[in-house]
Amino acid sequence: MIYLDNAATTQPHPDVLETFQQVYSQFWANPHSLHRPGERAEQLLEQARKQLCSLLGATQHNAIFTSGATEAINLAIKSTRELYQARGNHIITTNTEHPATQASLAWLAKQGAAITELPVGADGTVAPQQVEAALTSRTILVTLIHVNNESGAINPIADIARAIHPHQALLHVDAVQTIGKIPFSLADCPVDMLSLSAHKFGGLKGSGALLLRSSLPLPPQLHGGGQEHGMRSGTADVPRAAALAKALRLAIEAQEASALRIASLTQTIQSTLAAIPGVQINSPAAGSPYITNASVEGIRPETLLHGLSEKGIYISTVSACSSKQAEPSHVILAMTGDATRARQAIRVSLAQNTTSADVETFLSTFTQLVDQLR
Ligand code: PLP
C-alpha cells in the first residue's frame, strides 16, 4: 500500500508500540497510588512529561497529558475564557482553523464570547499586523493554527507571538501539524499554550498534550480526582505518556535528516501535478513540506480518491473528520474565494517514512487516472 494521508494520521513507529507494550506490562499500577508500584509508575509518567518539555524547549511550561489535540484545544480555549471572564470576552482566531478550534469557539460564542475571525490571505496565512490590529482591551485569547492541516500554510507564529506579548491576551497555538515535522522550540517562540497530538508523528491515537505556561492555573474541563495538576482529572495513562515521549524523540531525531528529502518529494509532487491540465495547486510555495493540496477541475475528488484506492494508493479529500461530507473545504475557500475549487480539493500528505518510489507510483497512477476520467 502507498499511504499518503499522513496529515490524518501516521503509522505508529514499531519502537513506540514496543515501548507502549513494555510499559503497560511492567508499569500498570495506578501512578497516583502511594505504594511502591504506584510510585514507579508515577516516576515514569513524570519522566515522560520532562522529556516532552525538554524536546520542545519548554523551560517555562508544564505539560498536561490529554486524550489528543481536540481535548487539549478545548481545554486551552474554554478554560482561558473561564479564567479571564472578569478581564474580557474577546477571542481572536483565523478563518482556517481545525474544527476542534472552530467548534470550541462556536460553543463559547453561544455563551456570549465575542469572536474575531481574521481572514487569511491567498497564501493561507495571517500577518502579525492583522492580529495586532484586532487586539482590544477586552481580548483574552488569540488562538491560531501554526501549520494548516489542509493547505500546509504556515502562520508566522514567532512574529505573531512577539506582537501579542506586550498585551494581556494569551496565545494558544494548534501545533498538531508542526510538532515532529518542522523544527519548533518554545524557547524561541513565546507562546502561552500549545496543543499537540501523538498520532500525527508516529505515536498513538488517544494521546496528546497541552503545554502551558507554568504560572497559568487553568480551571479544568474534566472534574474528578485532581490529577495533572488539577487541570485534567482521571487516572493518568502512563504507557501512552511514555509512548508519546518516545514518538516525539524519534520524530525529532529523524526530522533533520529527512527534511531535505521530504521537501524535494513535495516539490516533485507539486510540479508534476501542476503540469496536468486543469490542476491547480492550493498549497502556498512556503508551506509545510509534508502537505500538498490541489484542485482538479471537472473531476469529483471522491472519484479520484476511489480510483487511487482501488490501486492501493491512499490520499484524502478535505480533513479526515469531515471527509465524508461533500462540502467545500473552508480552508481552500478562505484562500481562493472559489467554492468550486474548494469543493475539488484533494490532499497528499507525507511522513518521514514516505519513499520516492511511493511518490513516483502515486504520480504516474494519478496522471493516468485523470486522463482516463476525462
Ligand atoms: N488540529 C489539527 C491541525 C489537526 O490536524 C488535528 C487532527 O486532525 C487536530 C487538531 C485534532 O487532533 P486529534 O485528532 O488528536 O484530536
Side-chain angles (χ1 to χ4, degrees), residues 50-133:
K50 243 185 166 161
Q51 193 178 10
L52 167 61
C53 288
S54 138
L55 286 165
L56 296 178
T59 51
Q60 320 272 313
H61 295 70
N62 205 340
I64 304 297
F65 288 112
T66 64
S67 63
T70 298
E71 188 192 327
I73 291 168
N74 270 261
L75 177 61
I77 293 177
K78 293 177 182 170
S79 298
T80 299
R81 160 73 172 146
E82 210 176 310
L83 182 65
Y84 290 134
Q85 51 191 330
R87 217 188 244 188
N89 70 342
H90 181 226
I91 301 177
I92 299 171
T93 189
T94 78
N95 59 353
T96 55
E97 297 296 312
H98 185 274
T101 297
Q102 288 186 317
S104 295
L105 292 175
W107 189 85
L108 285 186
K110 276 199 215 148
Q111 330 286 315
I115 314 295
T116 298
E117 257 194 17
L118 299 174
V120 297
D123 69 350
T125 70
V126 289
Q129 303 87 303
Q130 265 177 290
V131 178
E132 214 173 358

Coordinates of all heavy atoms in Angstrom, one line a residue, residues 50-133:
K50 N 8.8 15.3 31.5 CA 10.0 16.1 31.5 C 10.6 16.0 30.1 O 11.1 17.0 29.5 CB 11.0 15.5 32.5 CG 11.4 16.4 33.6 CD 12.5 15.8 34.4 CE 13.2 16.7 35.3 NZ 13.9 15.9 36.3
Q51 N 10.6 14.8 29.5 CA 11.2 14.6 28.2 C 10.4 15.4 27.2 O 11.0 16.0 26.3 CB 11.2 13.1 27.9 CG 12.1 12.8 26.7 CD 12.2 11.3 26.3 OE1 11.4 10.5 26.9 NE2 13.1 11.0 25.4
L52 N 9.1 15.3 27.3 CA 8.3 16.1 26.3 C 8.6 17.6 26.4 O 8.8 18.2 25.3 CB 6.8 15.8 26.7 CG 5.7 16.7 26.0 CD1 5.8 16.6 24.5 CD2 4.3 16.3 26.5
C53 N 8.7 18.1 27.6 CA 9.0 19.6 27.7 C 10.4 19.9 27.2 O 10.6 20.8 26.4 CB 8.9 20.0 29.2 SG 7.2 20.1 29.8
S54 N 11.3 19.0 27.5 CA 12.7 19.3 27.1 C 12.8 19.2 25.5 O 13.5 20.0 24.9 CB 13.6 18.3 27.8 OG 14.6 17.8 27.0
L55 N 12.2 18.2 24.9 CA 12.2 18.1 23.5 C 11.6 19.3 22.7 O 12.0 19.6 21.6 CB 11.5 16.8 23.0 CG 12.2 15.5 23.3 CD1 11.2 14.3 23.1 CD2 13.4 15.3 22.3
L56 N 10.7 20.0 23.4 CA 10.1 21.2 22.8 C 10.7 22.5 23.3 O 10.1 23.6 23.1 CB 8.6 21.1 23.0 CG 7.9 20.0 22.4 CD1 6.4 20.0 22.7 CD2 8.1 20.0 20.9
G57 N 11.8 22.4 24.0 CA 12.5 23.6 24.5 C 11.7 24.3 25.6 O 11.8 25.6 25.7
A58 N 10.8 23.6 26.3 CA 9.9 24.3 27.2 C 10.5 24.3 28.6 O 10.4 23.3 29.4 CB 8.6 23.5 27.3
T59 N 11.0 25.5 29.0 CA 11.5 25.6 30.4 C 10.6 26.4 31.2 O 10.6 26.3 32.5 CB 12.9 26.4 30.3 OG1 12.7 27.6 29.6 CG2 14.0 25.6 29.7
Q60 N 9.7 27.1 30.6 CA 8.7 27.9 31.4 C 7.3 27.3 31.3 O 6.3 27.9 31.7 CB 8.5 29.3 30.7 CG 9.8 30.0 30.2 CD 10.4 30.7 31.3 OE1 9.7 31.5 32.0 NE2 11.7 30.5 31.5
H61 N 7.2 26.1 30.7 CA 5.9 25.4 30.5 C 5.8 24.1 31.3 O 6.8 23.4 31.5 CB 5.6 25.2 29.0 CG 5.5 26.4 28.2 ND1 6.6 27.3 28.0 CD2 4.5 27.0 27.6 CE1 6.2 28.3 27.2 NE2 4.9 28.2 27.0
N62 N 4.6 23.7 31.5 CA 4.3 22.4 32.1 C 3.5 21.7 31.0 O 2.9 22.3 30.1 CB 3.4 22.6 33.3 CG 3.6 21.4 34.2 OD1 4.0 20.3 33.8 ND2 3.2 21.6 35.5
A63 N 3.5 20.3 31.1 CA 2.7 19.6 30.1 C 1.6 18.9 30.8 O 1.8 18.3 31.8 CB 3.6 18.6 29.4
I64 N 0.4 19.0 30.2 CA -0.8 18.2 30.7 C -1.1 17.2 29.6 O -1.3 17.5 28.5 CB -2.0 19.2 30.8 CG1 -1.7 20.4 31.6 CG2 -3.3 18.4 31.3 CD1 -1.4 20.1 33.0
F65 N -1.0 15.9 30.0 CA -1.4 14.8 29.0 C -2.9 14.8 28.9 O -3.6 14.9 29.8 CB -0.8 13.5 29.5 CG 0.7 13.4 29.5 CD1 1.4 13.3 30.6 CD2 1.3 13.4 28.2 CE1 2.8 13.2 30.5 CE2 2.7 13.3 28.1 CZ 3.5 13.2 29.3
T66 N -3.3 14.7 27.6 CA -4.7 14.6 27.3 C -5.0 13.5 26.3 O -4.1 12.7 25.9 CB -5.1 15.9 26.5 OG1 -4.4 16.0 25.3 CG2 -4.8 17.2 27.3
S67 N -6.2 13.3 25.9 CA -6.6 12.2 25.0 C -6.3 12.6 23.6 O -6.7 11.8 22.6 CB -8.1 11.9 25.1 OG -8.8 13.1 24.8
G68 N -5.7 13.7 23.3 CA -5.4 14.1 21.9 C -5.4 15.6 21.8 O -5.6 16.3 22.8
A69 N -5.3 16.1 20.6 CA -5.3 17.6 20.4 C -6.7 18.2 20.6 O -6.8 19.3 21.1 CB -4.7 18.0 19.1
T70 N -7.7 17.5 20.2 CA -9.1 18.0 20.4 C -9.3 18.4 21.8 O -9.8 19.5 22.1 CB -10.1 17.0 19.9 OG1 -9.9 16.8 18.5 CG2 -11.5 17.5 20.0
E71 N -8.9 17.5 22.7 CA -9.1 17.8 24.2 C -8.2 18.9 24.6 O -8.6 19.8 25.4 CB -8.9 16.5 25.0 CG -9.3 16.8 26.4 CD -8.7 15.7 27.4 OE1 -8.6 14.5 27.0 OE2 -8.4 16.1 28.5
A72 N -7.0 18.9 24.1 CA -6.0 20.0 24.5 C -6.6 21.3 24.1 O -6.5 22.3 24.8 CB -4.7 19.7 23.9
I73 N -7.1 21.4 22.9 CA -7.6 22.7 22.3 C -8.8 23.1 23.1 O -8.9 24.3 23.4 CB -7.9 22.5 20.8 CG1 -6.6 22.3 20.0 CG2 -8.7 23.7 20.2 CD1 -6.7 21.9 18.6
N74 N -9.7 22.2 23.3 CA -10.9 22.5 24.1 C -10.5 23.1 25.5 O -11.1 24.1 26.0 CB -11.8 21.3 24.3 CG -12.8 21.1 23.2 OD1 -14.0 21.5 23.4 ND2 -12.4 20.6 22.1
L75 N -9.5 22.4 26.1 CA -9.1 22.8 27.5 C -8.5 24.3 27.4 O -8.8 25.1 28.2 CB -8.0 21.8 28.0 CG -7.4 22.1 29.3 CD1 -8.4 22.2 30.4 CD2 -6.3 21.0 29.6
A76 N -7.6 24.5 26.4 CA -6.9 25.8 26.3 C -8.0 26.9 26.1 O -7.9 27.9 26.8 CB -5.9 25.7 25.1
I77 N -8.9 26.7 25.2 CA -9.8 27.7 24.8 C -10.9 28.0 25.9 O -11.1 29.1 26.3 CB -10.5 27.4 23.4 CG1 -9.4 27.5 22.3 CG2 -11.6 28.4 23.1 CD1 -9.9 27.1 20.9
K78 N -11.5 26.9 26.3 CA -12.7 27.1 27.2 C -12.2 27.5 28.6 O -12.8 28.3 29.3 CB -13.5 25.8 27.3 CG -14.2 25.4 26.0 CD -14.9 24.1 26.1 CE -15.6 23.8 24.8 NZ -16.1 22.4 24.7
S79 N -11.0 27.0 29.0 CA -10.5 27.3 30.3 C -10.0 28.7 30.4 O -10.0 29.4 31.4 CB -9.5 26.3 30.8 OG -10.1 25.0 30.9
T80 N -9.4 29.2 29.3 CA -8.9 30.6 29.3 C -10.1 31.5 29.4 O -10.1 32.5 30.2 CB -8.1 30.9 28.0 OG1 -7.0 30.0 27.9 CG2 -7.6 32.3 28.0
R81 N -11.1 31.2 28.7 CA -12.4 32.0 28.8 C -12.9 32.0 30.2 O -13.2 33.1 30.8 CB -13.4 31.4 27.8 CG -14.8 31.8 28.1 CD -15.1 33.2 27.7 NE -16.6 33.5 27.8 CZ -17.1 34.7 28.2 NH1 -16.3 35.7 28.5 NH2 -18.4 34.8 28.2
E82 N -12.9 30.9 30.9 CA -13.3 30.8 32.3 C -12.4 31.6 33.2 O -12.9 32.3 34.1 CB -13.4 29.3 32.7 CG -14.4 28.9 33.7 CD -14.4 27.4 33.9 OE1 -14.4 26.7 32.9 OE2 -14.4 27.0 35.1
L83 N -11.1 31.4 33.0 CA -10.1 32.0 33.9 C -10.2 33.6 33.8 O -10.1 34.2 34.8 CB -8.7 31.6 33.5 CG -7.6 32.1 34.4 CD1 -7.7 31.5 35.8 CD2 -6.2 31.6 33.8
Y84 N -10.4 34.1 32.6 CA -10.3 35.5 32.4 C -11.7 36.2 32.2 O -11.7 37.3 31.6 CB -9.3 35.8 31.3 CG -7.9 35.5 31.7 CD1 -7.1 34.8 30.8 CD2 -7.4 35.9 32.9 CE1 -5.8 34.6 31.2 CE2 -6.1 35.7 33.3 CZ -5.3 35.0 32.4 OH -4.0 34.7 32.8
Q85 N -12.8 35.6 32.6 CA -14.0 36.2 32.3 C -14.2 37.6 32.9 O -15.0 38.4 32.3 CB -15.2 35.3 32.6 CG -15.3 34.7 33.9 CD -16.4 33.6 33.9 OE1 -17.4 33.7 33.2 NE2 -16.2 32.6 34.8
A86 N -13.5 37.9 34.0 CA -13.7 39.2 34.5 C -12.9 40.2 33.7 O -13.2 41.4 33.8 CB -13.2 39.2 36.0
R87 N -11.9 39.7 33.0 CA -11.0 40.6 32.2 C -11.5 41.0 30.9 O -11.2 42.1 30.3 CB -9.7 39.8 32.1 CG -8.5 40.7 32.2 CD -7.3 39.8 31.7 NE -6.4 39.6 32.8 CZ -5.2 39.0 32.7 NH1 -4.8 38.6 31.5 NH2 -4.4 38.8 33.7
G88 N -12.3 40.1 30.2 CA -12.8 40.4 28.9 C -13.4 39.1 28.3 O -13.4 38.1 28.9
N89 N -14.0 39.3 27.1 CA -14.7 38.2 26.5 C -14.3 38.1 25.0 O -15.0 37.4 24.2 CB -16.2 38.3 26.7 CG -16.7 39.5 25.8 OD1 -16.0 40.3 25.4 ND2 -18.0 39.5 25.6
H90 N -13.2 38.7 24.6 CA -12.9 38.8 23.2 C -11.8 37.8 22.8 O -10.8 37.7 23.5 CB -12.5 40.2 22.8 CG -12.1 40.4 21.3 ND1 -11.0 41.0 20.9 CD2 -12.8 39.9 20.2 CE1 -11.0 41.0 19.6 NE2 -12.0 40.4 19.1
I91 N -12.0 37.0 21.8 CA -11.1 36.0 21.3 C -10.8 36.2 19.8 O -11.7 36.4 19.1 CB -11.6 34.6 21.6 CG1 -11.8 34.4 23.1 CG2 -10.6 33.5 21.1 CD1 -12.4 33.0 23.5
I92 N -9.5 36.1 19.5 CA -9.1 36.3 18.1 C -8.7 34.9 17.5 O -7.9 34.2 18.2 CB -8.0 37.3 17.9 CG1 -8.5 38.7 18.5 CG2 -7.5 37.4 16.5 CD1 -7.3 39.7 18.6
T93 N -9.1 34.7 16.3 CA -8.7 33.4 15.6 C -8.6 33.7 14.1 O -8.6 34.8 13.7 CB -9.7 32.3 16.0 OG1 -9.1 31.1 15.5 CG2 -11.1 32.5 15.4
T94 N -8.5 32.6 13.3 CA -8.5 32.8 11.9 C -9.7 32.0 11.3 O -10.3 31.2 12.0 CB -7.2 32.3 11.2 OG1 -7.3 30.8 11.1 CG2 -6.0 32.6 12.0
N95 N -9.9 32.2 10.0 CA -11.0 31.5 9.3 C -10.6 30.2 8.7 O -11.2 29.6 7.9 CB -11.7 32.4 8.3 CG -10.7 32.9 7.2 OD1 -9.5 32.6 7.3 ND2 -11.3 33.5 6.2
T96 N -9.4 29.7 9.1 CA -8.9 28.4 8.6 C -8.5 27.4 9.7 O -7.7 26.6 9.5 CB -7.7 28.6 7.6 OG1 -6.7 29.3 8.4 CG2 -8.0 29.4 6.4
E97 N -9.2 27.5 10.8 CA -8.8 26.6 11.9 C -9.4 25.2 11.8 O -10.3 25.0 11.0 CB -9.3 27.2 13.2 CG -8.7 28.6 13.6 CD -7.2 28.6 13.8 OE1 -6.8 27.7 14.6 OE2 -6.5 29.4 13.3
H98 N -8.8 24.3 12.5 CA -9.3 22.9 12.6 C -10.7 23.0 13.3 O -10.9 23.9 14.2 CB -8.3 22.1 13.4 CG -8.7 20.6 13.4 ND1 -9.5 20.1 14.4 CD2 -8.3 19.6 12.6 CE1 -9.7 18.8 14.2 NE2 -9.0 18.5 13.1
P99 N -11.6 22.1 13.0 CA -12.9 22.1 13.6 C -12.8 22.0 15.2 O -13.7 22.5 15.9 CB -13.6 20.8 13.1 CG -12.9 20.6 11.8 CD -11.5 21.1 11.9
A100 N -11.7 21.5 15.8 CA -11.6 21.5 17.2 C -11.6 22.9 17.8 O -12.3 23.2 18.8 CB -10.4 20.7 17.7
T101 N -11.0 23.8 17.1 CA -10.9 25.2 17.5 C -12.3 25.9 17.1 O -12.9 26.6 17.9 CB -9.8 25.9 16.8 OG1 -8.6 25.3 17.3 CG2 -9.7 27.4 17.1
Q102 N -12.7 25.7 15.8 CA -13.9 26.3 15.4 C -15.1 26.0 16.3 O -15.8 26.9 16.6 CB -14.2 25.9 14.0 CG -13.3 26.4 12.9 CD -13.7 26.0 11.5 OE1 -14.1 24.9 11.3 NE2 -13.7 27.0 10.6
A103 N -15.2 24.7 16.6 CA -16.4 24.3 17.3 C -16.3 24.7 18.8 O -17.4 25.1 19.4 CB -16.6 22.8 17.2
S104 N -15.1 24.8 19.4 CA -15.0 25.3 20.7 C -15.4 26.7 20.8 O -16.0 27.2 21.7 CB -13.5 25.1 21.2 OG -13.2 23.8 21.3
L105 N -14.9 27.5 19.8 CA -15.2 28.9 19.8 C -16.7 29.2 19.5 O -17.3 30.1 20.1 CB -14.4 29.6 18.7 CG -12.9 29.7 19.1 CD1 -12.1 30.3 17.9 CD2 -12.6 30.5 20.3
A106 N -17.3 28.3 18.6 CA -18.7 28.5 18.4 C -19.5 28.3 19.7 O -20.5 28.9 20.0 CB -19.2 27.5 17.3
W107 N -19.1 27.3 20.4 CA -19.7 27.0 21.7 C -19.6 28.2 22.7 O -20.6 28.6 23.3 CB -19.1 25.7 22.3 CG -19.8 25.2 23.5 CD1 -20.9 24.4 23.5 CD2 -19.6 25.5 24.9 NE1 -21.3 24.1 24.8 CE2 -20.5 24.8 25.6 CE3 -18.6 26.3 25.5 CZ2 -20.5 24.8 27.0 CZ3 -18.6 26.3 26.9 CH2 -19.6 25.6 27.7
L108 N -18.4 28.8 22.7 CA -18.2 29.9 23.6 C -19.0 31.2 23.1 O -19.5 31.9 23.9 CB -16.7 30.3 23.7 CG -15.8 29.4 24.5 CD1 -14.4 30.0 24.6 CD2 -16.4 29.2 25.9
A109 N -19.1 31.3 21.8 CA -19.9 32.4 21.2 C -21.3 32.3 21.7 O -22.0 33.3 22.1 CB -19.8 32.4 19.7
K110 N -21.8 31.1 21.8 CA -23.2 30.9 22.3 C -23.3 31.3 23.8 O -24.4 31.7 24.3 CB -23.6 29.4 22.3 CG -24.1 29.0 20.9 CD -24.9 27.8 21.0 CE -24.7 26.9 19.8 NZ -24.8 25.5 20.1
Q111 N -22.2 31.3 24.5 CA -22.2 31.7 25.9 C -21.9 33.2 26.1 O -21.6 33.7 27.1 CB -21.2 31.0 26.8 CG -20.9 29.6 26.4 CD -22.0 28.6 26.7 OE1 -22.5 28.7 27.8 NE2 -22.3 27.8 25.8
G112 N -21.8 33.9 24.9 CA -21.6 35.4 25.0 C -20.2 35.8 24.6 O -19.9 37.0 24.7
A113 N -19.3 35.0 24.3 CA -17.9 35.4 23.9 C -18.0 36.1 22.5 O -18.8 35.7 21.7 CB -16.9 34.2 23.8
A114 N -17.1 37.1 22.3 CA -17.1 37.8 21.0 C -15.9 37.3 20.3 O -14.7 37.3 20.8 CB -16.9 39.3 21.3
I115 N -16.1 36.7 19.1 CA -15.0 36.1 18.4 C -14.7 36.9 17.1 O -15.6 37.2 16.3 CB -15.4 34.6 17.9 CG1 -16.1 33.8 19.0 CG2 -14.2 33.9 17.3 CD1 -15.2 33.5 20.2
T116 N -13.4 37.2 16.9 CA -13.0 37.8 15.7 C -12.3 36.8 14.8 O -11.3 36.2 15.3 CB -12.0 39.0 15.9 OG1 -12.7 40.0 16.7 CG2 -11.5 39.6 14.6
E117 N -12.8 36.5 13.6 CA -12.1 35.5 12.7 C -11.3 36.3 11.7 O -11.9 36.9 10.8 CB -13.2 34.7 12.0 CG -13.4 33.3 12.6 CD -14.2 32.4 11.7 OE1 -14.4 32.7 10.5 OE2 -14.6 31.4 12.2
L118 N -10.0 36.3 11.8 CA -9.2 37.0 10.8 C -9.2 36.3 9.5 O -9.0 35.1 9.5 CB -7.8 37.2 11.3 CG -7.6 38.0 12.6 CD1 -6.2 37.9 13.1 CD2 -8.1 39.4 12.5
P119 N -9.4 37.0 8.4 CA -9.3 36.3 7.1 C -7.9 36.1 6.7 O -7.0 37.0 6.8 CB -10.0 37.3 6.2 CG -9.8 38.6 6.8 CD -9.7 38.4 8.3
V120 N -7.6 34.9 6.2 CA -6.2 34.6 5.7 C -6.1 35.2 4.3 O -7.1 35.4 3.6 CB -5.9 33.1 5.7 CG1 -5.9 32.5 7.0 CG2 -6.8 32.4 4.7
G121 N -4.8 35.5 3.9 CA -4.6 35.9 2.5 C -4.5 34.7 1.6 O -4.8 33.6 2.0
A122 N -4.2 35.0 0.3 CA -4.1 34.0 -0.7 C -3.1 32.9 -0.4 O -3.2 31.7 -0.8 CB -3.8 34.6 -2.1
D123 N -2.1 33.2 0.5 CA -1.1 32.2 0.9 C -1.6 31.5 2.1 O -0.8 30.7 2.7 CB 0.2 32.9 1.1 CG 0.2 33.8 2.4 OD1 -0.9 34.0 2.9 OD2 1.3 34.2 2.8
G124 N -2.8 31.7 2.6 CA -3.3 30.9 3.7 C -2.9 31.3 5.1 O -3.1 30.6 6.1
T125 N -2.2 32.5 5.2 CA -1.7 32.9 6.5 C -2.3 34.3 6.9 O -2.8 35.0 6.1 CB -0.1 33.0 6.5 OG1 0.2 34.2 5.7 CG2 0.5 31.8 6.0
V126 N -2.2 34.5 8.2 CA -2.5 35.9 8.7 C -1.2 36.6 9.1 O -0.2 35.9 9.4 CB -3.4 35.9 9.9 CG1 -4.8 35.4 9.6 CG2 -2.9 35.0 11.1
A127 N -1.2 37.9 8.9 CA 0.0 38.7 9.2 C 0.0 39.1 10.7 O -1.1 39.4 11.2 CB 0.1 39.9 8.3
P128 N 1.2 39.3 11.3 CA 1.2 39.8 12.7 C 0.5 41.1 12.9 O -0.2 41.3 13.9 CB 2.7 40.0 13.0 CG 3.4 39.1 12.0 CD 2.5 39.0 10.8
Q129 N 0.6 42.0 11.9 CA -0.1 43.3 12.0 C -1.6 43.1 12.0 O -2.3 43.9 12.7 CB 0.2 44.2 10.8 CG 1.7 44.5 10.6 CD 2.4 43.4 9.7 OE1 2.4 42.2 10.0 NE2 3.0 43.8 8.6
Q130 N -2.2 42.1 11.3 CA -3.6 41.8 11.4 C -4.0 41.5 12.8 O -5.1 41.9 13.3 CB -3.9 40.6 10.5 CG -4.4 40.9 9.1 CD -4.6 39.6 8.4 OE1 -3.6 38.9 8.1 NE2 -5.8 39.2 8.1
V131 N -3.2 40.6 13.4 CA -3.5 40.2 14.8 C -3.5 41.3 15.7 O -4.4 41.6 16.5 CB -2.6 39.0 15.2 CG1 -2.9 38.6 16.7 CG2 -2.6 37.9 14.3
E132 N -2.4 42.1 15.6 CA -2.2 43.3 16.5 C -3.3 44.3 16.4 O -3.8 44.8 17.4 CB -0.8 43.9 16.1 CG -0.2 44.5 17.3 CD 1.2 45.0 17.0 OE1 1.7 44.9 15.9 OE2 1.8 45.5 18.0
A133 N -3.8 44.5 15.1 CA -4.8 45.5 14.9 C -6.2 45.0 15.5 O -7.0 45.8 15.8 CB -5.0 45.7 13.4

